[in-house]
Amino acid sequence: MPTVSGRADSGSGRILVIDVGSTSVRTAVVDASGHLHHTRRVPTPRHSPAPGLLEFDPVALAGAARRAAAATLEAAGKVDAVGIANQRASTVVWDRSSGDPAGPGLGWQDLRTALDCLTLQAEGLRLAPNQPATKAAHLIQGAGVPPEELCVGTLDSWLIWNLTDRTQHVTDATNAAISGLCLEDRVEWDLSVTGRLGIPAAALPTIIDSSGPLVEASALPGAPLISGLAGDQQAALVGAGCVRRGDVKITFGTGGTLDACLGPGEPPAEVRGPSGTFPIVAWQRRGQVIWGIEAMMLSAGSCVAWLCELGLLESPGDSDAVAAGCADSGGVSFVPAQMGLGTPDWDFGARSAFAGVTTATTPAQLVRAVLEGVAHRGVDLLEAARADSGLELAEPVVDGGMSANATFTQAFADAAGCAISVAPEIECTALGAGYLAGLGIGVWGDWDEVASLRAPRVTAEPRRSTDRAAWHEAKRRAAGWHPDLSAVSF
């Protein structure tokens, strides 16, 4: 396991953050007051050679990250540490000797291993195609290199390999735990699963903490210490200041993801809870695992983008003003399910639907119904997390692109029947990576200091009641639209 001595906190408390997402790399500097500066974003194109397949160039991605980091450092000057956040399931396999990728990187939405997952499920091993496990096995099979000579990793591992001049092959506990390759009750590789998939133990990264003196980024100017590392949703949880038991955030981006902090102790008992949530590692620090649960909706901001494709909006940002132009949706309900329904239903055969449309329905009411439908799905996630955790949970913090939409956040508060805090940044992922790194070198002494940095941009209080029963009826009618897909469960 790599070891690096901690450094005294004699610097400015500034952290370089590198956020490797699905379509871009974002870099910034987080200061000691918890603000972002010198932000840069570099696109990282994906390629779809066929429906259901999504690939990317690992070398181009690593190069984009290094260039963006170097540019931010040039503008900002010296930093005290580096924090990294990454999309958790995109997978890379590379040759340990040459450092060259053994094939394309596979994006998290890539479905080429869906049949493999169904076959394994019939044999008693439950994996999903959006987990790294079967992606890694597929890449190893096609590598043309002895498996023992390969490295397997998610984007954090690949980036750190490159930032450490190909000397460190690591991943943190948050990324490892969702890979499908770990034991259920602790963050260790499950060698029975890796062996079954043909993934040698020697190819796997070392699992390390999410915060602390981790490894040196020798490929960056000044060789700053990487002291924070987490998957994107866990980083957003930390960045939203949701670091105490019962705290919860929901990121409303293309889809929507709820993460709740449960604290130390035993992991959640179910691989999938009765209400469709999943256990996660929120973070690991000084060897102690902090557990959480996660709930997902498969369509959120993508529904607003779809309204633009229909010509009802010129841009997603227009949805706020257009929807605010009418008092209500005129009795129209919308179910956001272009890709099916996630938590709590997990119905891949469900499809989006409008219900209650009449000849009097206006375009503005359709737009409002879409925002309200996404809000109702957000409440679905909250209710599922409360049921599976057994906790009441705190008032949620929201981030992601849709958090900037005041009509949407008000609709969410109304549907949830509680106050909704809008996070200080539209995207909290970079902040969370910075907080983890800052804790690792002593910029902040404890989680209370991190929580004190949370100052919501705005708080939405519920103003009116909503008809959840009518919306649930619309969702019932949208379910099972493609029975064969609805029968599939990962």
Side-chain angles (χ1 to χ4, degrees), residues 80-346:
D80 298 306
V82 178
I84 294 173
N86 64 285
Q87 199 292 310
R88 301 173 296 182
S90 298
T91 306
V92 183
V93 171
W94 65 96
D95 187 307
R96 185 182 297 271
S97 297
S98 68
D100 296 330
L106 300 187
W108 72 272
Q109 297 142 306
D110 189 279
L111 297 176
R112 71 188 67 198
T113 63
L115 289 178
D116 296 335
C117 291
L118 292 175
T119 300
L120 290 166
Q121 186 178 122
E123 298 172 357
L125 178 57
R126 187 167 188 167
L127 295 169
N130 63 341
Q131 290 179 296
T134 55
K135 296 182 191 297
H138 176 85
L139 288 168
I140 286 173
Q141 291 168 9
V145 176
E148 294 76 13
E149 298 177 13
L150 297 172
C151 291
V152 170
T154 42
L155 294 182
D156 60 319
S157 302
W158 173 242
L159 182 57
I160 290 176
W161 174 263
N162 283 273
L163 292 180
T164 60
D165 291 314
R166 301 177 175 181
T167 62
Q168 301 291 342
H169 184 33
V170 299
T171 190
D172 92 302
T174 68
N175 282 285
I178 62 93
S179 66
L181 299 173
C182 271
L183 295 165
E184 292 178 5
D185 60 345
R186 57 190 183 276
V187 191
E188 296 177 10
W189 298 122
D190 187 337
L191 299 183
S192 66
V193 172
T194 60
R196 190 169 178 180
L197 295 176
I199 303 174
L204 295 167
T206 300
I207 302 173
I208 61 175
D209 282 347
S210 311
S211 178
L214 305 178
V215 296
E216 288 186 347
S218 53
L220 292 178
L225 180 68
I226 298 173
S227 58
L229 180 62
D232 50 5
Q233 296 303 328
Q234 289 94 327
L237 181 71
V238 173
C242 298
V243 295
R244 295 302 185 199
R245 178 175 170 82
D247 285 352
V248 58
K249 71 84 184 165
I250 308 181
T251 301
F252 289 99
T254 301
T257 306
L258 175 150
D259 292 277
C261 179
L262 301 185
E266 295 297 318
E270 303 284 344
V271 175
R272 180 190 291 181
S275 295
T277 66
F278 293 86
I280 60 166
V281 170
W283 63 83
Q284 178 177 299
R285 185 169 181 243
R286 296 172 179 165
Q288 182 185 54
V289 172
I290 302 300
W291 296 97
I293 57 172
E294 186 165 284
M296 297 182 67
M297 55 189 297
L298 306 180
S299 302
S302 59
C303 299
V304 181
W306 171 68
L307 293 176
C308 298
E309 295 172 7
L310 294 180
L312 294 178
L313 297 170
E314 290 189 9
S315 70
D318 294 337
S319 61
D320 185 7
V322 171
C326 55
D328 55 50
S329 66
V332 177
S333 295
F334 175 75
V335 181
Q338 277 96 327
M339 298 176 66
L341 291 167
T343 308
D345 312 271
W346 290 107

